[in-house]
Amino acid sequence: MYGVGEAPEEDDCSEEPRKEYAQQCCCFVRASFEEREARELREGALGQRYKFLRERALRLVPANKISPTPSHFNHGSRTHPSLHLRAKATGRRIAAKLPDEKRAGWERAKMTCPELVTEDHLTMFLRCELFNVELAALRLANYWNRRIELFGDNLSFKPLHNGDDDDTNNTMDKADITKIETTLKGLSYGLLRPTTTHDSAGRALLFIDPSRLANYNKHNEDERFGVARALWYVLHSMLEGNETAQKVGIVVVAYPHHAKLSYLDRKLMKMNVESLSGCIPVRLGGFHICHPPWFFGKVAFPLMKLVMPERMRKRVRVHVGSEEKVLKELEEVGMGRKVLPSEIGGGVVLDNDGWMQERKLAGL
């Protein structure tokens, strides 16, 4: 037998070795095209040229002669040529299909901050909606409308960061300064913390601990919006520049065990769910609730089902029992102890203040 690319010796003039070598090459080409098809179909970018090449390869050898794709063959990460065209089509689809009230925020963003609405920005929405241009355009329009609603007419058109704003405080109005302060306060609670680890499928993990809202005043509208903006900041920190998270999504691990019923804020929950499900370009791969408190089944979960769309509800899993039992269940879905926070028995120690300070020093 000859390996792929290992032709018979020149002095080997017999017909049989050359037939065997040709058949191996055909099998390899066919198997590699099928592997590429699966990847391209997932990205929704199967072009006419590729279909022609695949059909030509399939005619070379019968289907029952296919050998498995060699383990050493790896296509690597490649961007399909139509990706940039689809990114541009997303922006055009907003102008062509969406009503005026839907695309108002997007039109303002294009005029005010063109440096933010790049092809990379548009590609995040395409990946989130599996390259469905219409759905990506709708999410993009909702994104900018909600961003303006949360951050205001000035901050919404600037990069999301928690860097030192001392140089700009003199030029900002009081409302913008209040937004910055309440957003930093929302981040300081540590309700939402990225673990900087991922599950076996490569999805980034976001840890939510509602017990950190002990000092949160749910009757204060500014504080509520500050926590909602903190969600946007944390998710953007996980998505921007991270193609893997954009493609395969994130997994939420919630630990409400020490939370109290008085911490529950229906309005904040609704705002965050709407941002997750229809605005921010994030794919939610799973929502795992570990060790829920006594009131969860009677109050919190029914409320969550009211505000969550069906697609998100189907991803919710509740884990109860001993710590070892819950850790075993999480491991069965691809999250071992070493990638989970120490709060639920994992090996990752989360330092929210240190994470914030590190990003601030980096100007992020």
Side-chain angles (χ1 to χ4, degrees):
M1 297 291 289
Y2 300 96
V4 176
E6 184 182 343
E9 297 293 334
E10 289 295 330
D11 57 353
D12 189 351
C13 299
S14 60
E15 189 69 14
E16 191 61 27
R18 296 193 175 277
K19 285 185 177 179
E20 182 181 1
Y21 172 69
Q23 187 180 42
Q24 288 184 55
C25 289
C26 291
C27 290
F28 178 82
V29 170
R30 178 171 180 150
S32 64
F33 269 112
E34 290 201 338
E35 179 180 303
R36 177 176 173 178
E37 179 186 33
R39 186 179 73 252
E40 298 292 328
L41 282 175
R42 285 196 299 270
E43 296 183 353
L46 185 61
Q48 292 298 322
R49 176 64 178 166
Y50 166 64
K51 287 197 292 187
F52 165 75
L53 293 174
R54 178 186 179 276
E55 289 168 1
R56 187 173 67 178
L58 294 181
R59 288 195 297 268
L60 296 177
V61 62
N64 59 2
K65 297 292 185 180
I66 296 178
S67 62
T69 302
S71 59
H72 65 271
F73 185 82
N74 184 6
H75 292 287
S77 175
R78 288 186 289 182
T79 301
H80 194 275
S82 67
L83 182 59
H84 297 304
L85 295 178
R86 286 173 175 262
K88 293 178 180 178
T90 302
R92 291 197 300 267
R93 189 63 58 93
I94 290 179
K97 296 291 185 180
L98 297 180
D100 293 342
E101 63 273 13
K102 282 284 187 181
R103 66 171 187 261
W106 163 248
E107 296 293 345
R108 290 184 62 188
K110 286 196 301 181
M111 295 293 294
T112 309
C113 56
E115 70 279 1
L116 295 183
V117 291
T118 61
E119 288 185 0
D120 289 339
H121 178 72
L122 299 176
T123 299
M124 288 199 298
F125 292 87
L126 285 169
R127 286 173 174 152
C128 177
E129 297 295 351
L130 299 179
F131 290 83
N132 184 312
V133 175
E134 291 187 359
L135 292 179
L138 179 60
R139 183 178 285 265
L140 179 60
N142 291 337
Y143 170 91
W144 279 104
N145 290 335
R146 179 54 62 91
R147 180 162 169 160
I148 294 171
E149 177 187 341
L150 287 176
F151 291 87
D153 292 332
N154 295 322
L155 296 178
S156 57
F157 302 117
K158 297 180 180 180
L160 302 184
H161 66 87
N162 73 334
D164 194 346
D165 290 291
D166 290 341
D167 295 337
T168 58
N169 280 347
N170 294 329
T171 60
M172 286 185 179
D173 59 30
K174 187 176 180 180
D176 287 341
I177 295 175
T178 300
K179 288 184 177 70
I180 293 173
E181 292 174 347
T182 53
T183 302
L184 292 175
K185 186 176 182 179
L187 286 168
S188 68
Y189 287 137
L191 168 68
L192 310 140
R193 288 174 285 172
T195 65
T196 67
T197 57
H198 54 79
D199 68 0
S200 59
R203 295 173 295 192
L205 303 187
L206 175 63
F207 184 62
I208 299 180
D209 184 358
S211 68
R212 307 271 295 194
L213 293 179
N215 298 320
Y216 166 70
N217 182 5
K218 65 181 181 182
H219 303 293
N220 187 314
E221 191 79 2
D222 288 336
E223 285 202 30
R224 178 180 298 119
F225 272 74
V227 176
R229 287 189 289 268
L231 170 70
W232 279 60
Y233 177 84
V234 170
L235 288 178
H236 278 74
S237 74
M238 299 173 70
L239 292 171
E240 290 179 344
N242 187 344
E243 290 190 8
T244 301
Q246 294 173 21
K247 293 176 181 178
V248 300
I250 70 168
V251 174
V252 173
V253 179
Y255 179 60
H257 184 65
H258 299 293
K260 296 181 179 180
L261 182 57
S262 60
Y263 299 169
L264 192 62
D265 185 351
R266 179 183 58 84
K267 293 181 179 179
L268 176 63
M269 183 185 296
K270 185 173 184 293
M271 291 171 66
N272 287 341
V273 167
E274 288 175 350
S275 292
L276 275 170
S277 61
C279 300
I280 301 174
V282 59
R283 298 183 62 194
L284 186 62
F287 199 113
H288 298 270
I289 301 172
C290 306
H291 306 290
W294 64 269
F295 60 84
F296 178 79
K298 296 181 179 180
V299 181
F301 196 46
L303 183 59
M304 288 175 61
K305 290 193 290 186
L306 282 176
V307 299
M308 281 184 172
E310 182 181 2
R311 183 179 175 184
M312 185 179 291
R313 290 199 301 269
K314 290 181 178 180
R315 286 162 171 73
V316 176
R317 297 290 183 271
V318 181
H319 305 274
V320 297
S322 65
E323 181 178 289
E324 289 302 319
K325 178 178 179 293
V326 171
L327 288 173
K328 184 177 180 181
E329 291 178 354
L330 293 175
E331 187 173 13
E332 290 173 354
V333 293
M335 292 181 285
R337 187 189 297 262
K338 64 180 180 180
V339 304
L340 294 169
S342 57
E343 284 85 343
I344 59 174
V348 179
V349 178
L350 299 178
D351 179 8
N352 187 61
D353 293 337
W355 175 77
M356 286 182 60
Q357 184 63 24
E358 180 180 345
R359 290 188 62 82
K360 182 176 181 179
L361 292 175
L364 300 173

